[in-house]
Amino acid sequence: MEWDSESEGSNGDEEEGFLLSGGSGGPFSFAVEGVLGPASSCGLVVSDALEPDHPIIYVNRGFEESTGYRAEEVLGRNCRFLQCRGPFAQRRHPLVDATIVSEIRRCLEEGIEFLGDLLNFRKDGSPLMNRLQLTPIYGDDETITHFIGIQFFTDTNVELGPLLSSAVKESARPNRLITEHVFRPVSLGHTHICREFCSMLQLSDEVLCQKIFSRLCPRDIASVGSVCKRLYQLTKNEDIWKMVCQNAWGSETTRALETVPGAKRLGWGRLARELTTLEAAAWRELTVGGAVEPSRCNFSACAVGNRVVLFGGEGVNMQPMNDTFVLDLNSSNPEWRHVKVTSAPPGRWGHTLSSLNGSSLVVFGGCGTQGLLNDVFILDLDAQSPAWREISGLAPPMPRSWHSSCTVDDTKLVVSGGCADSGVLLSDTHLLDVTMEKPIWREIPASWTPPSRLGHSLSVYDGRKILMFGGLAKSGPLRLRSSDVFTMDLSEDEPCWRCITGSGMPGAGNPAGIGPPPRLDHVAVSLPGGRILIFGGSVAGLHSASQLYLLDPTEETPTWRVLNVPGSPPQFAWGHSTCVVGGTRAIVLGGQTGEEWMLSELHELSLISAIDPQPKRCCRNQDNQQHKPTLPEQCCGGELGQRKNCSLLGFGGATPSDLLLQIDVFSVEETKHKRDKQKG
Amino acid sequence: MAKMIKLVSGDGAEFEVEEEVAFQSKIIKDIVADADDVIPLPTVSSKVLIQVIEYCRKHAAVNSFPLSPSSSAAAAASSSSSISYSKPVSDPALRAWDNEFVKLNNSSLFDIVIAANYLDIEELVDLVLETVADRIKGKQAQEIRRQFNIENDFTPEEEEALRRENSWAFQNN
């Protein structure tokens, strides 16, 4: 059969246009170039309908470019090879829709036109969606002599299939391996025509989540979720957020967060956001029952899950106490309860109480009846009959009080600085692994140590790094309040102290920005993600102790930031103690100027929006009217475009651009409102 | 003489590699167990196969010596001191080589990860995807779109709502 290559209505490109004279129907022409659009994305195939199995007799350049097969490779073959993945495959790929193939066969047999979408494969095995139009061409005697196939090829968003799928691991011949791969073609009719296709979206959901998202921090996930619809859907998944939080903050922190009552309702996505931006941070007042009697100051408090444990302290006659109290914040009516222990350490004040893994606490040092101490006692709060048992560690540090301590890896007690018997200030750092059979104290050798001090804080961040802040430090012959920050990485072979930022001389510029005024006996809260929150303490000058300061020691150049939160903070003075509960709130005990030693009125700095069911816990006015919500009950996860009444607006009408550094007009009004209420 | 395996790329080019290099791919290892020394890989182009072989060659040399001198020294040091903690041992020279290896554009990277997935070379898959994650870190949505050629399929209203919802992502904390 021959045809003229003269084309009608096309722009004269002979390869792309030709005329077929069909019998009585008159000439039959294609203006291929104009109809089909850019040649590179669509193909044209002509097959001989009179030869057995319809061999290909012509393919255009668009076909060659789209499929990767050259004309000489395919002439004489039936088109169905495109349904096999790659030139070596022997049979049609299982994900090619068999019903479509049957339909094509039917149309060919009946000599009618076919139009449909079919999965094809390039020569290199990559998938192609083929919008195929098959048209019969009639000869002189009204028999079909040729079929013309017009193909619009598009790249598809089919996925690679799960990594390390067990199917692929079977020992198999290569061509069988190909068919083991699982493709998930998108719904037919997807018109994602884009020459420079996006490779990343070709990956499966599983791969994207487990291999890529898992390596990102919460902020990055939020960015990723804004990229396109598919990624938005993926990042709405709570499990992904939980995994990301776990990777960013550590599993211990996320486990602790799971026990926080409000956390589940917030969801991990919201939790990640709030603990990153601290937009929902607020002061609240807490009224609890029971009493810590006899009253005392200079005690130590620490949290086990959602229970606050208090030990020791200095009684009214300056006598060291040794009783233990617990306050269960999970209960509907939290109240202080005296813990009956079978054995108690010697009484003391100026000691430290830190949490270990499980439900254990460890006490170290302090000032007892006989002088300063350097003993170690551990209590398992959840034991059958809780008892303080002494840990005799070899080579203990010098006895001391007003030192600082923290727990690394939930098992290693780190102690630093403090005041020794002779009144000398100390600057050494010691570590004790309490899980060892025979625990041995080790002093951490450092060629240089920060100036010795007492009343400073030691916080753990980013795994095994510790941060020391403030305290009353030796400065020549003087002792001055400090606002220095020092860090040490305990995972290094030879840990050493590094100075992050310092007070410098008055008036000297601080590269870290306006930092907290120098202080001792303050509170340092380790936030998930590595930041440290500082407030309270005995502050030099006339500065307010309730101002919150934030520092991220993991930054390139750590800079202090001020955090403004609504609510009324406690009146800080001395003798108070603070503990962090569940990683989301700091409970301040005591803190008034000598009164309030019963500890029934507590202040709480809550970092996340908590849905408090107890009316007496929240700041409502007398007739329980809802003024601007400090507790954003209406805060909802929200679908796109449906956010309303979220905490962002409830806390001072923050605009996104100044979440943390805002002047919080709303909170000032609210605080004033509360104070007026209290007076009235 | 080391046993050689012949790999044939999708466009018909043949590559002879040492057995231990080819065995970085678990798939190839399984196939060869079936006594097949010529392995057609129709879905892997020559260009990509060359790069994958280069990776396998480098890592085969390292894997044959599980305790390289640097790693054993670190292991010894961490056990004797109770203060410093043992961390995952990784040969810094190999790490540097890997970092150079993945300095490719995105489409090349994805070609490699597709091939590495097909050939079941877990470390290479992880390496590439780790690199992809690094290219996402710290970027805002528009930059991520540009980097990976992703089409923005949100309506302007949706985008505005998203910007408000996720503004915390790009706020300086």
Side-chain angles (χ1 to χ4, degrees):
Chain A
M1 197 67 180
E2 56 187 33
W3 50 81
D4 302 323
S5 57
E6 173 192 61
S7 59
E8 198 177 64
S10 77
N11 48 12
D13 184 355
E14 288 195 358
E15 266 190 84
E16 297 302 316
F18 54 88
L19 179 93
L20 277 181
S21 46
S24 48
F28 189 132
S29 71
F30 293 88
V32 172
E33 189 76 11
V35 166
L36 297 186
S40 59
S41 63
C42 57
L44 185 87
V45 174
V46 183
S47 59
D48 190 338
L50 298 176
E51 290 293 315
D53 208 25
H54 296 189
I56 293 175
I57 58 172
Y58 169 81
V59 296
N60 72 341
R61 197 167 43 214
F63 176 94
E64 287 181 311
E65 285 175 14
S66 297
T67 64
Y69 288 103
R70 291 189 309 279
E72 49 262 38
E73 291 176 285
V74 305
L75 293 178
R77 299 170 65 181
N78 179 282
C79 247
R80 70 170 67 85
F81 68 87
L82 286 172
Q83 298 160 26
C84 302
R85 193 184 163 193
F88 295 89
Q90 302 302 320
R91 53 191 174 94
R92 180 173 79 222
H93 191 278
L95 277 166
V96 175
D97 193 340
T99 55
I100 304 273
V101 177
S102 307
E103 180 68 9
I104 293 176
R105 190 177 304 121
R106 189 183 69 83
C107 289
L108 291 174
E109 281 165 15
E110 293 176 15
I112 58 178
E113 197 169 287
F114 167 84
L115 181 63
D117 294 345
L118 185 65
L119 180 65
N120 279 166
F121 297 89
R122 289 197 186 89
K123 191 179 174 188
D124 69 3
S126 55
L128 223 43
M129 194 49 74
N130 175 5
R131 172 150 290 183
L132 175 65
Q133 180 183 346
L134 279 175
T135 309
I137 303 294
Y138 291 85
D140 289 328
D141 48 355
E142 297 205 22
T143 53
I144 295 172
T145 54
H146 300 87
F147 277 96
I148 304 245
I150 299 174
Q151 301 134 328
F152 282 88
F153 289 113
T154 58
D155 295 308
T156 67
N157 282 358
V158 292
E159 60 179 23
L160 280 179
L163 283 180
L164 311 178
S165 68
S166 52
V168 184
K169 282 192 173 162
E170 288 165 24
S171 160
R173 300 279 144 178
N175 55 356
R176 271 208 280 130
L177 272 179
I178 300 163
T179 58
E180 300 289 2
H181 273 267
V182 177
F183 280 89
R184 194 185 60 185
V186 294
S187 60
L188 301 178
H190 179 93
T191 51
H192 182 84
I193 299 177
C194 169
R195 210 51 204 155
E196 272 221 44
F197 62 88
C198 166
S199 336
M200 183 158 101
L201 293 183
Q202 276 199 331
L203 301 176
S204 68
D205 290 355
E206 226 176 81
V207 171
L208 282 174
C209 295
Q210 288 180 10
K211 295 281 176 174
I212 297 184
F213 294 171
S214 58
R215 295 186 157 104
L216 304 176
C217 73
R219 272 185 204 274
D220 290 330
I221 300 293
S223 285
V224 163
S226 307
V227 167
C228 67
K229 284 193 166 133
R230 177 163 170 228
L231 295 181
Y232 175 78
Q233 284 303 320
L234 274 183
T235 56
K236 265 178 39 165
N237 185 315
E238 272 297 294
D239 290 330
I240 297 203
W241 278 105
K242 178 170 176 185
M243 169 184 66
V244 169
C245 290
Q246 206 157 314
N247 292 338
W249 305 334
S251 42
E252 183 58 36
T253 305
T254 41
R255 222 174 308 139
L257 284 171
E258 275 184 312
T259 65
V260 172
K264 257 205 173 39
R265 205 184 305 197
L266 281 181
W268 287 101
R270 182 101 198 142
L271 211 55
R273 171 177 167 166
E274 290 191 0
L275 286 174
T276 303
T277 60
L278 298 178
E279 66 202 49
W283 284 107
R284 292 185 227 288
E285 280 163 30
L286 230 59
T287 307
V288 299
V292 174
E293 284 171 320
S295 65
R296 68 206 59 206
C297 64
N298 294 336
F299 46 83
S300 260
C302 187
V304 170
N306 280 310
R307 290 171 290 175
V308 176
V309 179
L310 184 155
F311 174 77
E314 188 181 346
V316 187
N317 299 322
M318 287 174 58
Q319 87 269 26
M321 327 274 286
N322 72 347
D323 41 1
T324 313
F325 292 83
V326 69
L327 175 72
D328 186 355
L329 292 174
N330 266 344
S331 101
S332 45
N333 291 310
E335 54 178 23
W336 285 107
R337 291 219 172 104
H338 179 252
V339 179
K340 285 186 177 55
V341 292
T342 48
S343 60
R348 62 195 68 206
W349 43 265
H351 53 285
T352 54
L353 184 66
S354 314
S355 65
L356 296 169
N357 61 358
S359 47
S360 294
L361 300 160
V362 58
V363 156
F364 172 77
C367 184
T369 40
Q370 317 288 337
L372 296 179
L373 302 159
N374 64 355
D375 50 0
V376 179
F377 281 83
I378 290 189
L379 172 75
D380 181 357
L381 202 62
D382 287 339
Q384 277 276 13
S385 21
W388 286 101
R389 57 183 180 90
E390 184 166 9
I391 304 273
S392 318
L394 286 181
M398 205 178 294
R400 61 193 68 200
S401 61
W402 304 118
H403 50 281
S404 65
S405 80
C406 62
T407 323
V408 175
D409 280 349
D410 293 331
T411 53
K412 297 164 183 70
L413 177 67
V414 176
V415 162
S416 177
C419 182
D421 254 316
S422 41
V424 160
L425 291 181
L426 302 165
S427 62
D428 50 353
T429 309
H430 300 256
L431 183 145
L432 179 73
D433 184 347
V434 301
T435 57
M436 283 165 68
E437 271 284 325
K438 293 192 173 17
I440 305 176
W441 280 100
R442 273 202 197 279
E443 179 167 4
I444 298 179
S447 48
W448 175 86
T449 60
S452 48
R453 61 194 65 214
L454 59 82
H456 50 293
S457 64
L458 210 59
S459 317
V460 179
Y461 72 98
D462 201 19
R464 295 182 185 130
K465 302 191 177 99
I466 57 179
L467 183 145
M468 178 195 292
F469 172 75
L472 191 73
K474 183 166 155 58
S475 178
L478 303 173
R479 294 177 175 196
L480 299 177
R481 288 182 181 79
S482 152
S483 60
D484 300 331
V485 178
F486 301 94
T487 61
M488 176 187 271
D489 186 352
L490 290 173
S491 56
E492 288 176 350
D493 291 333
E494 291 178 8
C496 61
W497 286 108
R498 292 183 177 91
C499 182
I500 301 292
T501 131
S503 9
M505 293 302 292
N510 190 347
I514 309 292
R519 62 191 69 202
L520 69 147
D521 285 347
H522 51 277
V523 180
V525 179
S526 289
L527 299 176
R531 288 169 302 165
I532 311 281
L533 188 64
I534 303 279
F535 64 92
S538 168
V539 183
L542 296 170
H543 299 104
S544 159
S546 56
Q547 178 67 68
L548 275 67
Y549 294 88
L550 206 56
L551 182 74
D552 187 350
T554 64
E555 280 178 340
E556 283 271 331
T557 39
T559 313
W560 284 108
R561 289 180 171 89
V562 164
L563 182 63
N564 290 311
V565 301
S568 53
Q571 312 279 331
F572 287 100
W574 43 265
H576 66 277
S577 187
T578 307
C579 72
V580 181
V581 178
T584 58
R585 45 191 182 154
I587 309 282
V588 181
L589 309 170
Q592 293 300 322
T593 49
E595 294 110 28
E596 292 251 349
W597 295 128
M598 295 303 162
L599 304 180
S600 48
E601 290 293 327
L602 311 179
H603 283 81
E604 168 192 272
L605 174 66
S606 164
L607 299 177
I608 59 174
S609 36
I611 320 296
D612 257 333
Q614 321 304 326
K616 67 180 171 185
R617 279 210 206 178
C618 58
C619 309
R620 290 185 187 275
N621 50 22
Q622 297 290 38
D623 42 8
N624 230 2
Q625 253 173 29
Q626 190 121 29
H627 53 285
K628 274 192 201 158
T630 52
L631 303 171
E633 290 88 17
Q634 285 106 354
C635 176
C636 55
E639 294 294 319
L640 260 183
Q642 286 176 29
R643 298 194 65 73
K644 50 182 193 274
N645 272 2
C646 66
S647 65
L648 215 61
L649 301 174
F651 292 137
T655 60
S657 55
D658 52 359
L659 274 174
L660 288 191
L661 299 182
Q662 58 183 339
I663 307 298
D664 206 339
V665 174
F666 164 64
S667 70
V668 166
E669 283 175 352
E670 212 230 7
T671 308
K672 181 173 176 305
H673 171 83
K674 276 208 230 51
R675 278 207 210 99
D676 291 344
K677 269 272 148 235
Q678 283 163 6
K679 287 180 198 157
Chain B
M1 175 70 186
K3 178 149 188 263
M4 304 299 276
I5 309 275
K6 191 182 283 188
L7 304 175
V8 184
S9 72
D11 37 284
E14 294 182 354
F15 302 88
E16 267 210 325
V17 294
E18 296 82 359
E19 190 178 72
E20 62 167 7
V21 172
F23 280 7
Q24 295 293 300
S25 157
K26 296 204 188 74
I27 291 301
I28 292 179
K29 203 168 177 178
D30 288 346
I31 295 170
V32 170
D34 266 2
D36 223 13
D37 285 357
V38 178
I39 300 171
L41 303 169
T43 59
V44 185
S45 72
S46 290
K47 171 185 169 221
V48 174
L49 189 54
I50 288 170
Q51 288 170 311
V52 170
I53 289 174
E54 195 190 334
Y55 175 90
C56 292
R57 188 156 277 144
K58 184 75 184 179
H59 282 249
V62 171
N63 286 341
S64 55
F65 299 102
L67 271 177
S68 59
S70 56
S71 65
S72 61
S78 63
S79 60
S80 62
S81 151
S82 67
I83 291 170
S84 65
Y85 303 87
S86 59
K87 43 185 173 168
V89 172
S90 67
D91 181 358
L94 186 62
R95 189 82 207 143
W97 187 91
D98 281 351
N99 288 341
E100 277 303 309
F101 179 78
V102 290
K103 282 188 181 164
L104 301 163
N105 64 22
N106 286 329
S107 77
S108 301
L109 274 189
F110 282 108
D111 287 340
I112 291 180
V113 81
I114 290 169
N117 175 37
Y118 176 63
L119 295 168
D120 196 358
I121 309 174
E122 194 179 342
E123 282 178 7
L124 181 54
V125 171
D126 280 351
L127 174 65
V128 171
L129 294 177
E130 198 184 308
T131 308
V132 171
D134 285 341
R135 293 186 186 183
I136 295 177
K137 280 180 192 167
K139 286 196 166 75
Q140 297 183 32
Q142 183 55 24
E143 294 169 78
I144 296 176
R145 283 190 207 118
R146 231 186 329 224
Q147 165 84 252
F148 294 99
N149 270 326
I150 302 179
E151 189 195 329
N152 179 4
D153 52 359
F154 293 118
T155 67
E157 297 79 34
E158 287 171 335
E159 226 185 315
E160 177 58 32
L162 260 183
R163 218 169 38 78
R164 276 183 272 113
E165 182 177 325
N166 286 336
S167 62
W168 65 278
F170 45 84
Q171 283 313 307
N172 208 350
N173 59 328

